[in-house]
């Protein structure tokens, strides 16, 4: 019992890091994903090709490798001391984790948003055009709200995957929940901490599901 | 006085020439029905007039606003700013309604009034209420399109097109997606608009409706106007053989 309590308090701090990493990744990757979708559909072949290549790399290589590259890259490629890349008290490894997750998830979100945008009937654009809406009004008032509803189930999938993927940050030694769980587990030579961590992840995703279902329900007032 | 002037309109999709030099003038208060077989260019002509397609050559004007003119045999379109103005001069009613599904009936009608025409919300609401009561749909103001029948949706589509007080309204086969019973309701609404001397261009397959409501009928086939004339005369006494053949099918 005492063991469990100490595990819970130790995992608690790691869990906080996990939540922060999760939230920051969403905050950056969703708007970035919209840009990726736009770039992927660009009429400019250079922009389109570059974005396509970026998506291909992000989806085609392991996220763990990408994290390692973002973290160690500045040193091995440019000889920059990683210590110097931190912002104030924040260690660069935490920043690298947020960057790595964000650019990876932006690629996936980008493709989801693109599928949503391209599934919109042409008639919606035409109706908006003849009513005199500008391009940005059409996008933000007519298209995007409907796209959000369409992509919500796919986005929920990604968000749930992200909760679990945050554990990959242990590869660059970010002290998030999974890293802590592994340390405790090694010190106590017991898997209890890993089980508790698993329960935390599940609980987290359970809440994510409830929230996403709530949003979906809120948007079900129309078809 | 002409509200709509279309001169020598040419339009190709790739190597397929869809419009081969169409001239069409519509006077104020006039109702023109465009009939003809599918693929004859009726809808394309309408889409060119409503800025949804660009023409290769020709001239389009609504009132004093020129959308496009031709210089050195090439179509030259007006500026973006002018295009916005031009779009406020006409209304378009779609075959597939194209209502905004995430907006209530009221917002479908008022959104452009408030955000494009910068009218205060109260004024936009008043315009909306007037139009909806005219359409017999005031009780549906807060409903969403998915909860309306096709006929009701098309009424909203018409109300939305009328809201900005356009000089001319285009209808692209407004009843083609509706069953006969609902069709009658929509035709009644259009008939009432005709009685109010609304300037209208209607692409339709409803021959008897075209005969009764339109002042003039234009028969289009193969990208040209084959025959046109006063509605009753054209339907009852077509002169061109192709027109005769086409009308015999109805």
């Amino acid at each position: 019992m005492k063991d469990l309590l100490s595990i819970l308090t130790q995992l608690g701090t790691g869990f906080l890091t996990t939540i922060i990493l999760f939230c920051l990744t969403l905050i950056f990757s969703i708007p970035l994903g919209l840009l990726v979708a736009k770039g992927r559909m660009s009429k400019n072949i250079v922009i389109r090709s570059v974005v396509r290549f970026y998506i291909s790399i992000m989806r085609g290589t392991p996220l763990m490798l990408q994290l390692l590259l973002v973290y160690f890259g500045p040193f091995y490629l440019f000889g920059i001391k990683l210590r110097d890349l931190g912002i104030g008290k924040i260690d660069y490894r935490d920043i690298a984790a947020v960057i790595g997750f964000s650019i990876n998830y932006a690629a996936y979100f980008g493709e989801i948003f693109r599928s949503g945008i391209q599934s919109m009937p042409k008639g919606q654009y035409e109706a908006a055009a003849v009513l005199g809406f500008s391009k940005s009004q059409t996008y933000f008032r007519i298209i995007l709200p409907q796209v959000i509803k369409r992509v919500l189930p796919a986005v929920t999938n990604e968000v749930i995957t992200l909760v679990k993927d945050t554990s990959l940050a242990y590869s660059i030694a970010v002290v998030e929940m999974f890293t802590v769980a592994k340390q405790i587990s090694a010190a106590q030579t017991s898997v209890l901490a890993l089980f508790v961590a698993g329960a935390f992840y599940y609980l987290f995703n359970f809440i994510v599901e409830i929230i996403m279902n709530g949003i979906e329900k809120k948007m079900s007032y129309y078809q | 006085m002409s509200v709509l002037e279309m001169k020598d309109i040419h339009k190709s999709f790739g190597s397929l020439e869809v419009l081969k030099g169409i001239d069409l003038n519509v006077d104020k208060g006039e109702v023109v029905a465009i009939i003809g077989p599918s693929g004859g260019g009726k809808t394309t002509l309408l889409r060119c007039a409503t800025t949804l397609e660009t023409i290769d050559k020709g001239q389009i004007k609504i009132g004093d606003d020129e959308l496009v003119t031709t210089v050195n045999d090439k179509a030259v379109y007006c500026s973006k700013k002018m295009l916005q103005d031009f779009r406020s001069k006409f209304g378009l009613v779609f075959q597939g309604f194209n209502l905004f599904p995430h907006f209530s009936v009221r917002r479908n009608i008022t959104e452009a009034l408030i955000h494009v025409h910068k009218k205060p919300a109260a004024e936009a609401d008043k315009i909306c209420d007037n139009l909806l009561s005219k359409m017999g749909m005031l009780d549906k103001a807060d409903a969403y399109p998915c909860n309306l029948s096709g006929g009701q949706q098309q009424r909203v589509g018409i109300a939305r097109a009328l809201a900005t007080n356009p000089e001319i309204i285009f209808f692209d086969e407004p009843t083609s997606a509706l069953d006969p019973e609902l069709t009658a309701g929509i035709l009644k609404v259009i008939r009432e608009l005709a009685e109010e001397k609304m300037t209208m261009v209607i692409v339709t397959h409803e021959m008897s409706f075209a005969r009764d409501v339109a002042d003039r009928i234009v028969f289009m086939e193969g990208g040209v106007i084959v025959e046109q004339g006063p509605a009753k005369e054209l339907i009852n006494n077509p002169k061109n053989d192709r027109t005769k053949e086409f009308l015999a099918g109805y």
Side-chain angles (χ1 to χ4, degrees):
Chain A
M1 194 59 218
K2 228 180 105 194
D3 273 2
L4 193 64
L5 210 67
S6 102
I7 288 172
L8 282 175
T9 45
Q10 288 181 70
L11 283 184
T13 50
F15 190 49
L16 191 68
T17 308
T18 297
I19 291 176
I20 292 171
L21 185 55
F22 168 83
C23 291
L24 287 178
T25 301
L26 283 188
I27 288 169
F28 291 120
S29 63
I30 287 179
L32 207 57
L34 280 171
L35 280 179
V36 169
K38 235 170 158 29
R40 178 73 175 72
M41 295 184 293
S42 170
K43 284 190 187 119
N44 183 319
I45 185 156
V46 178
I47 296 176
R48 202 169 60 228
S49 308
V50 167
V51 172
R52 220 171 149 161
F53 180 69
Y54 154 76
I55 292 171
S56 176
I57 295 293
M58 287 298 141
R59 293 201 301 192
T61 59
L63 175 52
M64 194 189 284
L65 188 72
Q66 292 164 19
L67 287 171
L68 290 170
L69 203 72
V70 173
Y71 181 48
F72 292 113
F75 175 72
Y76 286 116
L77 295 175
F78 309 107
I80 302 168
K81 285 207 181 75
L82 297 183
R83 212 179 313 123
D84 299 340
L85 285 170
I87 301 172
K89 271 186 172 173
I90 308 166
D91 198 284
Y92 175 63
R93 69 176 78 247
D94 297 327
I95 297 168
V98 172
I99 294 174
F101 280 115
S102 297
I103 58 173
N104 178 276
Y105 271 77
Y108 285 94
F109 281 133
E111 283 297 86
I112 292 174
F113 296 153
R114 178 175 70 93
S115 76
I117 292 168
Q118 289 182 336
S119 76
M120 286 297 294
K122 219 171 87 199
Q124 291 290 302
Y125 290 96
E126 294 184 345
V130 295
L131 286 167
F133 288 107
S134 69
K135 272 217 164 102
S136 73
Q137 282 177 325
T138 303
Y139 185 67
F140 287 109
R141 292 183 179 281
I142 312 293
I143 303 301
L144 199 56
Q146 296 185 61
V147 167
I148 290 172
K149 181 184 162 97
R150 281 168 192 240
V151 301
L152 216 51
V155 167
T156 302
N157 256 342
E158 282 307 307
V159 173
I160 285 173
T161 306
L162 173 61
V163 170
K164 294 175 290 180
D165 274 357
T166 53
S167 64
L168 287 172
Y170 94 92
S171 62
I172 53 172
V174 170
V175 191
E176 47 69 59
M177 186 165 56
F178 192 69
T179 312
V180 177
K182 271 191 69 175
Q183 284 164 358
I184 301 171
S185 168
Q188 298 185 341
T189 55
S190 126
V191 288
L192 184 61
L194 291 174
F195 273 115
V196 177
F200 265 104
Y201 282 115
Y202 180 73
L203 187 74
F204 194 169
N205 267 331
F206 188 71
I207 294 166
V208 166
E209 262 180 61
I210 290 174
I211 292 171
M212 295 307 272
N213 280 340
I215 299 174
E216 236 175 276
K217 214 166 174 181
K218 228 184 134 151
M219 301 192 82
S220 64
Y221 66 88
Y222 75 92
Q223 272 165 1
Chain B
M1 192 196 104
S2 282
V3 173
L4 173 72
E5 274 179 57
M6 298 180 87
K7 254 188 233 153
D8 194 30
I9 306 294
H10 288 263
K11 167 75 183 169
S12 298
F13 291 111
S15 61
L16 182 72
E17 198 177 12
V18 185
L19 299 176
K20 301 171 183 168
I22 301 275
D23 292 296
L24 182 68
N25 280 355
V26 179
D27 288 339
K28 196 169 164 53
E30 192 182 17
V31 178
V32 174
I34 304 178
I35 62 168
S38 299
K42 311 182 295 288
T43 291
T44 304
L45 184 67
L46 210 68
R47 289 174 62 83
C48 290
T50 52
T51 73
L52 295 176
E53 299 285 356
T54 52
I55 60 171
D56 304 325
K57 205 177 111 182
Q59 192 188 16
I60 301 174
K61 269 172 87 177
I62 290 182
D64 297 326
D65 289 82
E66 190 163 73
L67 170 69
V68 53
T69 185
T70 293
V71 180
N72 293 332
D73 223 31
K74 278 201 90 161
V76 181
Y77 271 81
C78 65
S79 67
K80 248 187 172 171
K81 167 90 191 53
M82 292 271 293
L83 182 66
Q84 293 294 95
D85 287 345
F86 185 84
R87 281 172 169 162
S88 68
K89 302 283 178 204
F90 69 84
L92 172 61
V93 176
F94 296 87
Q95 179 178 351
F97 322 136
N98 289 349
L99 297 180
F100 304 128
H102 58 311
F103 287 164
S104 64
V105 165
R106 177 178 300 287
R107 243 187 115 180
N108 262 283
I109 296 168
T110 58
E111 191 77 355
L113 285 173
I114 296 171
H115 296 288
V116 178
H117 299 269
K118 308 291 175 204
K119 292 214 190 301
E123 194 185 332
D125 275 342
K126 225 175 117 186
I127 293 170
C128 171
D129 287 344
N130 276 338
L131 285 167
L132 285 179
S133 67
K134 204 164 132 185
M135 302 281 160
M137 292 211 26
L138 199 52
D139 57 326
K140 298 286 185 197
D142 297 318
Y144 284 85
C146 61
N147 297 320
L148 302 178
S149 73
Q152 289 171 326
Q153 288 190 48
Q154 194 56 301
R155 278 165 212 256
V156 178
I158 295 172
R160 184 174 70 173
L162 285 168
T164 54
N165 197 21
E167 291 179 26
I168 180 168
I169 297 206
F170 297 94
F171 294 82
D172 183 12
E173 302 189 24
T175 60
S176 290
L178 303 174
D179 67 44
E181 212 168 324
L182 296 175
T183 295
I186 294 303
L187 296 185
K188 189 169 156 259
V189 170
I190 299 174
R191 205 181 295 256
E192 282 164 11
L193 289 173
E195 279 159 16
E196 292 167 23
K197 288 289 161 208
M198 183 79 215
T199 312
M200 294 187 281
V201 175
I202 309 165
V203 170
T204 185
H205 290 293
E206 301 284 335
M207 293 309 146
S208 56
F209 167 73
R211 183 190 57 210
D212 294 347
V213 174
D215 299 305
R216 176 157 54 109
I217 293 182
V218 173
F219 175 67
M220 264 183 85
E221 183 175 41
V224 294
I225 293 177
V226 174
E227 185 175 355
Q228 61 176 314
K232 286 180 187 61
E233 206 176 300
L234 188 129
I235 296 282
N236 297 335
N237 281 312
K239 297 201 171 56
N240 186 288
D241 286 343
R242 259 311 288 155
T243 318
K244 280 181 199 161
E245 218 176 307
F246 176 75
L247 289 171
Y250 282 87

